[in-house]
Amino acid sequence: MDVVLVALGGACGAVSRYFLGNIVGRSLGSVLPYGTFIINIVGCFCMGVLMTAIMERQLLPASARLLLCVGFLGGFTTFSSFGIEALSLLTSGRLCAALAYVGGSVLLGLVAAFGGVHLARLF
């Protein structure tokens, strides 16, 4: 049953990533990989909220971690895409864009996870 939860969540997360990435890309353009950037920040925030709700507050059953965190957010966030896109920016000579993308993703990802944990602790 655990594998089914992870697989179901992962499939839904991957499809959600695909749709959101396309919407963001069309809306903001392709100067930077904004879709991946936004997906990773949103994913970090959601992971903070969900892990706090599940592990600390026990507001959801432990199986929700497999479905939502391991499965959905594992399929939704795009760290492998982040890596190849950052490398592409570097190898194309766009050092400032690469640094902004990597630094912004890491810093805002940490801030988003922190915010998610603290928001979840309010409830």
Side-chain angles (χ1 to χ4, degrees):
M1 186 61 180
D2 290 353
V3 172
V4 172
L5 291 173
V6 172
L8 180 62
C12 292
V15 170
S16 297
R17 177 183 72 227
Y18 172 77
F19 283 122
L20 182 59
N22 283 336
I23 290 167
V24 170
R26 281 193 305 269
S27 299
L28 299 178
S30 61
V31 173
L32 284 176
Y34 292 112
T36 302
F37 182 78
I38 289 170
I39 286 164
N40 284 338
I41 301 309
V42 168
C44 288
F45 179 80
C46 291
M47 185 68 81
V49 169
L50 288 170
M51 288 299 284
T52 302
I54 295 165
M55 305 302 287
E56 286 184 27
R57 302 288 188 187
Q58 299 175 347
L59 298 173
L60 297 168
S63 59
R65 185 183 68 81
L66 294 175
L67 175 69
L68 300 172
C69 297
V70 177
F72 183 84
L73 291 176
F76 180 71
T77 58
T78 53
F79 203 73
S80 56
S81 297
F82 162 78
I84 198 70
E85 289 168 347
L87 181 61
S88 176
L89 289 169
L90 282 171
T91 58
S92 67
R94 298 179 62 202
L95 179 61
C96 290
L99 290 174
Y101 182 54
V102 171
S105 293
V106 172
L107 180 63
L108 290 175
L110 290 171
V111 169
F114 179 81
V117 166
H118 286 284
L119 177 67
R121 287 180 177 162
L122 292 174
F123 299 102

